[in-house]
Amino acid sequence: MILALISLLIGFVIFRLLPEVDGDAPMSFRQQFKLLGSAVIVSGLFLTFFRESGNSVLFTYLTPFMQDILQLKASNISIVMLVFGIFGAVGTRLSGYGIDRWGAARIIAFSTIVLVVVLALLPLFAGSTLIGLLLISLMMLSQFMAGPATQTYFIQQAPQSSSLVLSLNTSIIHLGLATGAGAGGAMISANSTVLYNPWMASFIVILALVSAFISFSMGKKRLSNLQKRQAS
């Protein structure tokens, strides 16, 4: 309740201070479905789906993983979660800097590769609380680096329909989180332990990486064709 009241206050301040911004031009359903026919956008949405699913396979069960696998005391969980949140905030800030310097596609690729490696290593260091927590911190850093980069990438690929694409991306995020949570629960039921969830998550995030490279390749091909038409 306290957080809700504070949020309402902050929301009122934002409403009063932010300038008016024109929205996107209205789009018919036909135009919206035409947008979904873009291989660049669809493969980008698959990137979001697989990445969020992979994250959720572990993150949904992160507390039992830290308690049962990393042997972390329950009394320390809240402090550790706060530290993870700080790493997430730093990841978001690094993402903004990296997008300006190297571009959204490179940040997406880098953060996703880091996420795959970290998830694959986690079960191998189950006996070390410190290394396990450091790896999870890197997971949080890379996860939050990917979010702003993905949104920027979608805006760059569909500037005239950015609101529509970002709203679709948000829906895909929640679908991925739900799918990953279910898959993680099934993994625990099959193995009676949360130890192997990171390996499952790593495999799913590899699918996200494949989707990302497909989208990047399609985007470059589309840009090349557009430049050729303009030259002719």
mmCIF file of all heavy atoms in Angstrom, residues 92-112:
data_model
loop_
_atom_site.group_PDB
_atom_site.id
_atom_site.type_symbol
_atom_site.label_atom_id
_atom_site.label_comp_id
_atom_site.label_asym_id
_atom_site.label_seq_id
_atom_site.Cartn_x
_atom_site.Cartn_y
_atom_site.Cartn_z
ATOM 1 N N THR A 92 21.021 -1.535 -16.975
ATOM 2 C CA THR A 92 20.204 -0.638 -17.781
ATOM 3 C C THR A 92 20.994 0.587 -18.210
ATOM 4 O O THR A 92 20.923 1.026 -19.367
ATOM 5 C CB THR A 92 18.956 -0.202 -16.986
ATOM 6 O OG1 THR A 92 18.206 -1.364 -16.608
ATOM 7 C CG2 THR A 92 18.066 0.707 -17.814
ATOM 8 N N ARG A 93 21.778 1.142 -17.282
ATOM 9 C CA ARG A 93 22.587 2.321 -17.597
ATOM 10 C C ARG A 93 23.678 1.982 -18.607
ATOM 11 O O ARG A 93 23.920 2.742 -19.553
ATOM 12 C CB ARG A 93 23.215 2.866 -16.307
ATOM 13 C CG ARG A 93 24.037 4.129 -16.517
ATOM 14 C CD ARG A 93 23.153 5.279 -16.963
ATOM 15 N NE ARG A 93 23.940 6.445 -17.335
ATOM 16 C CZ ARG A 93 24.371 6.696 -18.560
ATOM 17 N NH1 ARG A 93 24.105 5.835 -19.546
ATOM 18 N NH2 ARG A 93 25.044 7.792 -18.823
ATOM 19 N N LEU A 94 24.340 0.846 -18.435
ATOM 20 C CA LEU A 94 25.364 0.426 -19.385
ATOM 21 C C LEU A 94 24.763 0.181 -20.762
ATOM 22 O O LEU A 94 25.413 0.437 -21.795
ATOM 23 C CB LEU A 94 26.058 -0.847 -18.885
ATOM 24 C CG LEU A 94 26.974 -0.690 -17.673
ATOM 25 C CD1 LEU A 94 27.501 -2.053 -17.240
ATOM 26 C CD2 LEU A 94 28.128 0.254 -17.978
ATOM 27 N N SER A 95 23.538 -0.313 -20.781
ATOM 28 C CA SER A 95 22.865 -0.561 -22.054
ATOM 29 C C SER A 95 22.685 0.730 -22.833
ATOM 30 O O SER A 95 22.968 0.793 -24.039
ATOM 31 C CB SER A 95 21.505 -1.224 -21.814
ATOM 32 O OG SER A 95 20.843 -1.459 -23.037
ATOM 33 N N GLY A 96 22.216 1.784 -22.147
ATOM 34 C CA GLY A 96 22.043 3.067 -22.817
ATOM 35 C C GLY A 96 23.343 3.595 -23.383
ATOM 36 O O GLY A 96 23.398 4.076 -24.523
ATOM 37 N N TYR A 97 24.402 3.495 -22.600
ATOM 38 C CA TYR A 97 25.720 3.945 -23.061
ATOM 39 C C TYR A 97 26.195 3.108 -24.248
ATOM 40 O O TYR A 97 26.708 3.637 -25.248
ATOM 41 C CB TYR A 97 26.721 3.848 -21.907
ATOM 42 C CG TYR A 97 28.150 4.124 -22.310
ATOM 43 C CD1 TYR A 97 28.607 5.440 -22.466
ATOM 44 C CD2 TYR A 97 29.044 3.075 -22.540
ATOM 45 C CE1 TYR A 97 29.925 5.693 -22.837
ATOM 46 C CE2 TYR A 97 30.357 3.317 -22.913
ATOM 47 C CZ TYR A 97 30.793 4.632 -23.056
ATOM 48 O OH TYR A 97 32.091 4.868 -23.438
ATOM 49 N N GLY A 98 26.015 1.792 -24.143
ATOM 50 C CA GLY A 98 26.469 0.898 -25.203
ATOM 51 C C GLY A 98 25.700 1.080 -26.501
ATOM 52 O O GLY A 98 26.283 0.991 -27.591
ATOM 53 N N ILE A 99 24.401 1.330 -26.403
ATOM 54 C CA ILE A 99 23.592 1.553 -27.604
ATOM 55 C C ILE A 99 24.095 2.775 -28.359
ATOM 56 O O ILE A 99 24.226 2.758 -29.590
ATOM 57 C CB ILE A 99 22.107 1.718 -27.226
ATOM 58 C CG1 ILE A 99 21.536 0.391 -26.714
ATOM 59 C CG2 ILE A 99 21.293 2.202 -28.428
ATOM 60 C CD1 ILE A 99 20.186 0.537 -26.047
ATOM 61 N N ASP A 100 24.377 3.851 -27.628
ATOM 62 C CA ASP A 100 24.870 5.068 -28.266
ATOM 63 C C ASP A 100 26.238 4.854 -28.908
ATOM 64 O O ASP A 100 26.550 5.454 -29.939
ATOM 65 C CB ASP A 100 24.966 6.206 -27.242
ATOM 66 C CG ASP A 100 23.599 6.648 -26.739
ATOM 67 O OD1 ASP A 100 22.608 6.420 -27.459
ATOM 68 O OD2 ASP A 100 23.533 7.209 -25.632
ATOM 69 N N ARG A 101 27.048 4.008 -28.310
ATOM 70 C CA ARG A 101 28.437 3.838 -28.779
ATOM 71 C C ARG A 101 28.573 2.736 -29.833
ATOM 72 O O ARG A 101 29.307 2.910 -30.825
ATOM 73 C CB ARG A 101 29.346 3.532 -27.583
ATOM 74 C CG ARG A 101 30.827 3.527 -27.916
ATOM 75 C CD ARG A 101 31.654 3.413 -26.649
ATOM 76 N NE ARG A 101 33.085 3.387 -26.943
ATOM 77 C CZ ARG A 101 33.832 4.469 -27.094
ATOM 78 N NH1 ARG A 101 33.282 5.661 -26.981
ATOM 79 N NH2 ARG A 101 35.124 4.353 -27.354
ATOM 80 N N TRP A 102 27.891 1.600 -29.640
ATOM 81 C CA TRP A 102 28.089 0.447 -30.522
ATOM 82 C C TRP A 102 26.828 0.008 -31.261
ATOM 83 O O TRP A 102 26.909 -0.843 -32.148
ATOM 84 C CB TRP A 102 28.637 -0.732 -29.722
ATOM 85 C CG TRP A 102 29.980 -0.456 -29.126
ATOM 86 C CD1 TRP A 102 31.154 -0.263 -29.814
ATOM 87 C CD2 TRP A 102 30.307 -0.316 -27.737
ATOM 88 N NE1 TRP A 102 32.192 -0.023 -28.938
ATOM 89 C CE2 TRP A 102 31.700 -0.050 -27.647
ATOM 90 C CE3 TRP A 102 29.571 -0.390 -26.559
ATOM 91 C CZ2 TRP A 102 32.355 0.142 -26.445
ATOM 92 C CZ3 TRP A 102 30.217 -0.195 -25.353
ATOM 93 C CH2 TRP A 102 31.591 0.068 -25.304
ATOM 94 N N GLY A 103 25.670 0.526 -30.884
ATOM 95 C CA GLY A 103 24.443 0.133 -31.557
ATOM 96 C C GLY A 103 23.666 -0.919 -30.785
ATOM 97 O O GLY A 103 24.229 -1.706 -30.017
ATOM 98 N N ALA A 104 22.350 -0.943 -31.004
ATOM 99 C CA ALA A 104 21.469 -1.844 -30.253
ATOM 100 C C ALA A 104 21.747 -3.310 -30.553
ATOM 101 O O ALA A 104 21.740 -4.156 -29.651
ATOM 102 C CB ALA A 104 20.010 -1.508 -30.567
ATOM 103 N N ALA A 105 22.007 -3.642 -31.819
ATOM 104 C CA ALA A 105 22.200 -5.045 -32.196
ATOM 105 C C ALA A 105 23.396 -5.662 -31.476
ATOM 106 O O ALA A 105 23.332 -6.803 -30.999
ATOM 107 C CB ALA A 105 22.370 -5.157 -33.707
ATOM 108 N N ARG A 106 24.491 -4.933 -31.382
ATOM 109 C CA ARG A 106 25.681 -5.468 -30.707
ATOM 110 C C ARG A 106 25.450 -5.662 -29.216
ATOM 111 O O ARG A 106 25.939 -6.637 -28.625
ATOM 112 C CB ARG A 106 26.869 -4.540 -30.948
ATOM 113 C CG ARG A 106 27.380 -4.553 -32.382
ATOM 114 C CD ARG A 106 28.602 -3.679 -32.550
ATOM 115 N NE ARG A 106 29.104 -3.722 -33.927
ATOM 116 C CZ ARG A 106 30.157 -3.049 -34.351
ATOM 117 N NH1 ARG A 106 30.840 -2.283 -33.511
ATOM 118 N NH2 ARG A 106 30.544 -3.149 -35.613
ATOM 119 N N ILE A 107 24.710 -4.746 -28.605
ATOM 120 C CA ILE A 107 24.414 -4.893 -27.172
ATOM 121 C C ILE A 107 23.507 -6.093 -26.937
ATOM 122 O O ILE A 107 23.694 -6.852 -25.973
ATOM 123 C CB ILE A 107 23.765 -3.606 -26.618
ATOM 124 C CG1 ILE A 107 24.739 -2.436 -26.728
ATOM 125 C CG2 ILE A 107 23.344 -3.798 -25.168
ATOM 126 C CD1 ILE A 107 26.049 -2.633 -26.014
ATOM 127 N N ILE A 108 22.530 -6.287 -27.819
ATOM 128 C CA ILE A 108 21.652 -7.457 -27.701
ATOM 129 C C ILE A 108 22.466 -8.736 -27.808
ATOM 130 O O ILE A 108 22.323 -9.666 -27.002
ATOM 131 C CB ILE A 108 20.558 -7.428 -28.792
ATOM 132 C CG1 ILE A 108 19.577 -6.280 -28.534
ATOM 133 C CG2 ILE A 108 19.812 -8.756 -28.838
ATOM 134 C CD1 ILE A 108 18.600 -6.048 -29.664
ATOM 135 N N ALA A 109 23.331 -8.799 -28.826
ATOM 136 C CA ALA A 109 24.140 -10.007 -29.030
ATOM 137 C C ALA A 109 25.075 -10.252 -27.849
ATOM 138 O O ALA A 109 25.162 -11.384 -27.336
ATOM 139 C CB ALA A 109 24.943 -9.871 -30.329
ATOM 140 N N PHE A 110 25.767 -9.216 -27.407
ATOM 141 C CA PHE A 110 26.716 -9.365 -26.296
ATOM 142 C C PHE A 110 26.014 -9.812 -25.016
ATOM 143 O O PHE A 110 26.452 -10.770 -24.364
ATOM 144 C CB PHE A 110 27.437 -8.033 -26.060
ATOM 145 C CG PHE A 110 28.297 -8.018 -24.827
ATOM 146 C CD1 PHE A 110 29.520 -8.653 -24.818
ATOM 147 C CD2 PHE A 110 27.868 -7.381 -23.664
ATOM 148 C CE1 PHE A 110 30.322 -8.655 -23.673
ATOM 149 C CE2 PHE A 110 28.649 -7.375 -22.521
ATOM 150 C CZ PHE A 110 29.881 -8.018 -22.522
ATOM 151 N N SER A 111 24.926 -9.133 -24.650
ATOM 152 C CA SER A 111 24.240 -9.463 -23.396
ATOM 153 C C SER A 111 23.631 -10.863 -23.437
ATOM 154 O O SER A 111 23.628 -11.580 -22.425
ATOM 155 C CB SER A 111 23.148 -8.424 -23.101
ATOM 156 O OG SER A 111 22.180 -8.384 -24.131
ATOM 157 N N THR A 112 23.157 -11.279 -24.602
ATOM 158 C CA THR A 112 22.557 -12.616 -24.724
ATOM 159 C C THR A 112 23.617 -13.700 -24.648
ATOM 160 O O THR A 112 23.405 -14.749 -24.018
ATOM 161 C CB THR A 112 21.773 -12.727 -26.041
ATOM 162 O OG1 THR A 112 20.829 -11.646 -26.144
ATOM 163 C CG2 THR A 112 20.996 -14.037 -26.095
#
